[in-house]
Amino acid sequence: MSRRKVVILLLSVFTICSALLVSTSGKPGSPIAPSGGGTPSSQLPQVANGDDQEPITLSIAVSMDETEFQYWIKSNERYLQTHPRVTVNLTNIRDEDPDAARKKASEAGEPFDIMLLDNDRVREFAMRGELLPVDEIVTGDFAADQLEALTDMVKWNGSLWGVPVDSNPLLNIWSKQLLKDGGAAGPPKDLAAFKALAAALAASKPGISPFNLNSADARDVSAWLGLFQADAKPAAELSPFTAAQQEQLRYAAEHGKELTRYDPLLQGSELIRAIRENKLLSAVIPWTVYFRLSDAERALLSIGSANGPVVRSNGRSFVLTAETDKPADVREWIRAMTESAAQLARYRAFGRLPARVSVMTGEFGFNEVAVRPPHFLVPMLQAAAAAPDPPWRERWERWAALCASLGGNARPFTAEAAERMIAEWNGELGQPAGAAKSGAEAPPASS
């Protein structure tokens, strides 16, 4: 055989062997030989973020009415479509105290991973060691985009413990027509200007109510006591009454028969009718009540304290419980539920204000309030009225109890009620011997 034929034969044999070797080693499902010896594995390598990742379940607690809860269920369903390995158990604890609900879930062996809390509860949970910080979520541009009035409520010990979701601030509204009739260029800046305006209106238009006092809600009363910017911080911190606030309470008692006593959430239409008929000068209402008004009704109103801050932002935040063992997954869920588009969609559905500055300012300025967050509220929410100290929650419980003891809107606000309120809150009654009367801590309300 010639040398040429031998070479061709050898090349052919080599080619056939190589082809057989590749076919055998590349067969799907064939064992993967370890490079360092040992038993071959029959499993294929896992693909990061693929469908073969281990399924997980997130347990999330929220507190809201049924209509909003159904909205969140649908939002979560859309999230699950792009996260097939995730299952979410969404629980509405509307009628339960959040702390009691958390303890019950933990004792049942099914602790919550995430909770939606009112901002004024977050620090309380964090101080007891029941939360994880959320600094890894709220970073960079996300952190810079948050409204300070919301984040300051959920800061403690150098960390952020809640991811702001939305807010429903209490606003001071004024009748534009009565301001004009009283010779005022805008809402009064202090109590002296307010009293002068009310006196001028009373002289020319007897029977006008200077303000609406909703003593059935402790939040409304605190916002009303922070009606003027100088008193916003003491009202938000629930400090002892300032001299101006004491005068304001006594003024309310003196004009008790003239005051309207509507609950804006239950009697919003009556309150707005009084303004429309030029019978009411001012009131405190939640933003969601303002949101539901018609354009014609909103045109009757001027917003007070336009440069902030608001006494009650009534914000909500997502928190990570210390019992979660899925921190990366809960962070991803929270990021998705607090993105700008989600916040804007919820605003249009329910009127609760977004927590991001960019969402508040990124819409066209001439769009109606029903479809875009209002630009004029940004300065009010960029300035925090107060960053609550650790005992703030205890003060709030005592404050709510004191307001409830007044009997709500069904009972007249008398001079005796005003003096009792001042005495009890500023520590002039039931004060332990030698205790200071000027500190931030208010004493418990007497029974």
Side-chain angles (χ1 to χ4, degrees):
M1 183 181 295
S2 68
R3 180 179 295 178
R4 181 182 178 188
K5 290 182 178 180
V6 171
V7 172
I8 291 174
L9 179 60
L10 291 173
L11 289 173
S12 298
V13 172
F14 178 77
T15 301
I16 292 171
C17 291
S18 299
L20 290 173
L21 180 61
V22 171
S23 175
T24 301
S25 64
K27 183 178 179 180
S30 61
I32 300 173
S35 59
T39 305
S41 171
S42 61
Q43 297 181 355
L44 294 175
Q46 287 192 349
V47 179
N49 298 320
D51 291 340
D52 54 352
Q53 286 184 297
E54 183 180 353
I56 59 112
T57 298
L58 301 180
S59 180
I60 302 171
V62 298
S63 180
M64 56 190 59
D65 64 39
E66 187 60 26
T67 300
E68 188 181 5
F69 184 58
Q70 292 302 317
Y71 181 95
W72 278 94
I73 289 176
K74 289 182 171 58
S75 298
N76 184 66
E77 289 172 351
R78 289 191 291 271
Y79 177 83
L80 298 181
Q81 290 174 2
T82 58
H83 296 76
R85 61 183 285 269
V86 178
T87 299
V88 173
N89 292 333
L90 200 61
T91 303
N92 192 2
I93 57 171
R94 180 185 179 188
D95 296 326
E96 295 183 75
D97 178 81
D99 194 38
R102 180 197 61 79
K103 290 177 181 177
K104 184 168 68 175
S106 180
E107 291 169 357
E110 299 177 351
F112 298 130
D113 297 294
I114 302 170
M115 296 185 73
L116 180 65
L117 294 180
D118 289 342
N119 283 353
D120 59 17
R121 299 298 301 271
V122 172
R123 184 177 293 213
E124 165 196 348
F125 278 58
M127 290 178 61
R128 294 203 303 256
E130 292 159 2
L131 303 181
L132 297 177
V134 299
D135 300 310
E136 292 186 27
I137 302 177
V138 187
T139 59
D141 291 342
F142 190 5
D145 202 22
Q146 301 300 304
L147 290 161
E148 188 175 341
L150 308 185
T151 55
D152 271 24
M153 289 288 290
V154 296
K155 288 178 181 176
W156 175 66
N157 203 26
S159 289
L160 199 65
W161 299 88
V163 181
V165 174
D166 55 27
S167 70
N168 186 23
L170 294 177
L171 305 178
N172 301 318
I173 60 169
W174 301 80
S175 163
K176 285 183 179 178
Q177 184 60 51
L178 290 181
L179 288 174
K180 180 179 178 181
D181 292 346
K189 303 297 184 182
D190 53 37
L191 183 60
F194 173 79
K195 293 172 73 173
L197 171 61
L201 289 170
S204 60
K205 299 175 181 293
I208 289 177
S209 173
F211 51 78
N212 183 75
L213 179 62
N214 177 31
S215 59
D217 192 318
R219 290 178 174 86
D220 288 10
V221 179
S222 61
W224 175 74
L225 285 167
L227 194 63
F228 307 108
Q229 191 164 342
D231 283 319
K233 184 174 180 179
E237 291 180 338
L238 300 178
S239 300
F241 297 135
T242 66
Q245 288 173 328
Q246 294 180 48
E247 186 180 355
Q248 189 174 336
L249 287 166
R250 292 178 175 124
Y251 179 83
E254 291 170 9
H255 296 268
K257 293 182 179 179
E258 303 166 23
L259 303 182
T260 57
R261 305 292 299 279
Y262 298 123
D263 182 336
L265 292 177
L266 302 176
Q267 301 167 295
S269 58
E270 290 93 330
L271 189 153
I272 294 300
R273 184 185 304 116
I275 290 179
R276 186 171 57 246
E277 295 175 354
N278 295 325
K279 296 179 180 179
L280 174 61
L281 173 60
S282 64
V284 172
I285 65 172
W287 169 259
T288 49
V289 172
Y290 184 88
F291 171 84
R292 289 192 294 267
L293 299 178
S294 67
D295 289 343
E297 289 171 330
R298 284 192 289 264
L300 301 172
L301 307 175
S302 178
I303 304 295
S305 302
N307 294 319
V310 295
V311 171
R312 292 284 311 191
S313 62
N314 292 334
R316 302 185 298 184
S317 293
F318 281 126
V319 299
L320 279 65
T321 71
E323 294 181 277
T324 183
D325 57 356
K326 302 171 280 287
D329 295 289
V330 298
R331 289 179 185 122
E332 184 174 355
W333 188 89
I334 289 175
R335 286 190 190 100
M337 293 299 168
T338 55
E339 65 180 4
S340 298
Q343 292 197 21
L344 182 59
R346 287 195 297 270
Y347 170 76
R348 290 171 175 170
F350 301 104
R352 293 187 66 93
L353 293 171
R356 291 195 178 197
V357 177
S358 60
V359 183
M360 297 278 282
T361 59
E363 294 295 301
F364 294 111
F366 43 80
N367 284 349
E368 60 183 13
V369 166
V371 298
R372 67 155 180 90
H375 297 66
F376 64 80
L377 284 180
V378 174
M380 302 169 68
L381 293 172
Q382 279 183 322
D389 54 20
W392 184 91
R393 181 68 192 175
E394 297 174 11
R395 290 202 300 278
W396 171 256
E397 291 174 351
R398 295 198 296 273
W399 171 246
L402 175 56
C403 290
S405 72
L406 299 178
N409 295 336
R411 187 178 299 178
F413 191 75
T414 61
E416 291 77 13
E419 294 304 326
R420 176 191 161 207
M421 198 172 190
I422 293 168
E424 293 195 13
W425 190 247
N426 280 26
E428 296 167 18
L429 292 178
Q431 180 85 9
K437 299 182 180 180
S438 58
E441 282 280 1
S446 64
S447 57

